[in-house]
Amino acid sequence: MAESLLFGVAQGVLGKIASPALQEAVAIYNVEDQIRELRETLTAIKAVLSDAEAQKEKNDRLQVWLDRLQHVFYDAEDVLDEIECEALRKQVISRYGSVKGKVHRFFSLSNPLMFRVKISQKIKEIRERLSKICTEKDQFGLNTRRTVTGGGPTPSRKMTYSLVNKLDVVGRDDDKETIIEMLMQPDDKNLSVLPIVGIGGMGKTALAKLVYNDDRVKEQFELQLWVCVPEDFNLKKTIDGIIKDARCQDLSNFDIQQSQNALQDIIKDKKFLLVLGDVWCNDRGRWKDLRDSLAEGASGSTIIVTTRSVEVASIMHTHPMHNLKGLSHEDSMILFKKWAFDENEKEATC
């Protein structure tokens, strides 16, 4: 059985905790004990997630419990990212920092001692919330599943949306123009598919958003839609996500046939652009079912698929897949400084 999205988030957090980069950062700020306790609590919760997901439809209180758990998982991810980013920032400062910058940072939360106090408090809060949730799981009588401590390769996923601040995207102009050029070419296919393939999640998503929001693309397509695909590529959930983006309408109470009919009414005889964000499933049957559901669109309709998997892209594509390369060193530094430093520190270190 395919693992749930929430199981994947838990796996991703444990994987990050086990990563060498995070372990090195944790050692720098001497929070090893706090992170160890966080890992142990998270592992205990992860062991019952599969059973909890299976029972949630019959137990409203269990659904609320899972919703609370998801929020804590995402907050934990944010804290771990903050630790890792601060350690990287410290390395950059040591290499590029100026005397003025060092004085400014001594009185800021970038000071190692002050940062350790701040981050310890955040970890403590996360641990307390998780511990309470972990204790509450006993009331549901959930079955435990054996899992491997430390997490595997399954990455965590967050919902993505189509809005983007162009100023926050660095080094993707050439990629954007290449894809837009493909979209502008005449195409007599009823439905074309253009995959964007890359290892990281943010780069593919940002590029897709740039294309999606370009004025030339808006003029080319009568209807534009964006949906983050469920990890198991569930047809009903994917179709309902497309409909919700088009009409802000919740069809969770519809059966699959009713949802398909509603989708066909939306796209019928319209040239549409659909972005399927973060596709993982390589099931040809499920992909064919979705394509059949989208067959009512006008000629020239296109799907952009973002994925980390070349196998997924090879199954879905009609256009050649666009492989997203890593940023240059210069663009990487620009992007890092944009996100890691406040305005005063930018002036002091650049």
Side-chain angles (χ1 to χ4, degrees), residues 85-251:
C85 184
E86 187 64 22
L88 179 58
R89 177 159 104 154
K90 183 178 179 182
Q91 295 175 15
V92 173
I93 287 173
S94 67
R95 180 174 179 182
Y96 297 102
S98 65
V99 173
K100 177 182 177 182
K102 291 176 182 177
V103 171
H104 172 77
R105 285 185 293 277
F106 182 82
F107 294 102
S108 75
L109 287 178
S110 298
N111 176 275
L113 179 59
M114 296 182 68
F115 179 78
R116 182 181 182 278
V117 172
K118 180 188 74 168
I119 209 66
S120 294
Q121 183 59 40
K122 287 187 176 183
I123 297 172
K124 179 182 178 182
E125 179 187 349
I126 298 271
R127 281 172 40 225
E128 289 175 348
R129 291 164 62 193
L130 266 182
S131 294
K132 183 177 180 181
I133 290 174
C134 188
T135 300
E136 292 172 353
K137 72 177 171 43
D138 296 335
Q139 65 185 292
F140 300 114
L142 300 172
N143 293 322
T144 300
R145 166 179 172 170
R146 290 179 60 86
T147 56
V148 179
T149 302
T154 304
S156 62
R157 289 152 43 98
K158 294 184 180 180
M159 292 298 291
T160 54
Y161 303 93
S162 58
L163 298 178
V164 64
N165 184 346
K166 296 178 181 179
L167 298 178
D168 289 337
V169 184
V170 175
R172 296 304 180 194
D173 290 340
D174 290 343
D175 293 291
K176 183 187 80 169
E177 293 303 318
T178 298
I179 292 176
I180 290 178
E181 183 178 345
M182 292 183 186
L183 295 177
M184 297 297 107
Q185 292 175 358
D187 193 341
D188 59 359
K189 294 186 179 70
N190 187 51
L191 184 61
S192 299
V193 184
L194 196 166
I196 301 175
V197 184
I199 296 176
M202 292 181 62
K204 300 188 303 296
T205 300
L207 175 58
K209 289 178 180 179
L210 285 178
V211 171
Y212 186 92
N213 288 284
D214 191 273
D215 290 338
R216 293 165 292 176
V217 174
K218 291 179 180 179
E219 292 176 2
Q220 182 80 357
F221 295 94
E222 185 177 356
L223 179 65
Q224 289 181 251
L225 304 161
W226 183 294
V227 62
C228 184
V229 178
E231 192 164 355
D232 61 356
F233 212 151
N234 180 283
L235 180 63
K236 174 69 164 57
K237 291 180 181 178
T238 303
I239 291 176
D240 287 351
I242 297 171
I243 295 171
K244 188 171 184 179
D245 188 52
R247 291 182 174 174
C248 296
Q249 183 180 3
D250 185 359
L251 301 184

Side-chain angles (χ1 to χ4, degrees), residues 280-305:
W280 292 86
C281 181
N282 59 2
D283 188 315
R284 293 177 183 271
R286 297 183 190 185
W287 168 233
K288 182 180 183 302
D289 289 342
L290 180 60
R291 283 200 58 156
D292 291 345
S293 300
L294 295 165
E296 295 294 327
S299 178
S301 294
T302 302
I303 300 175
I304 292 177
V305 176

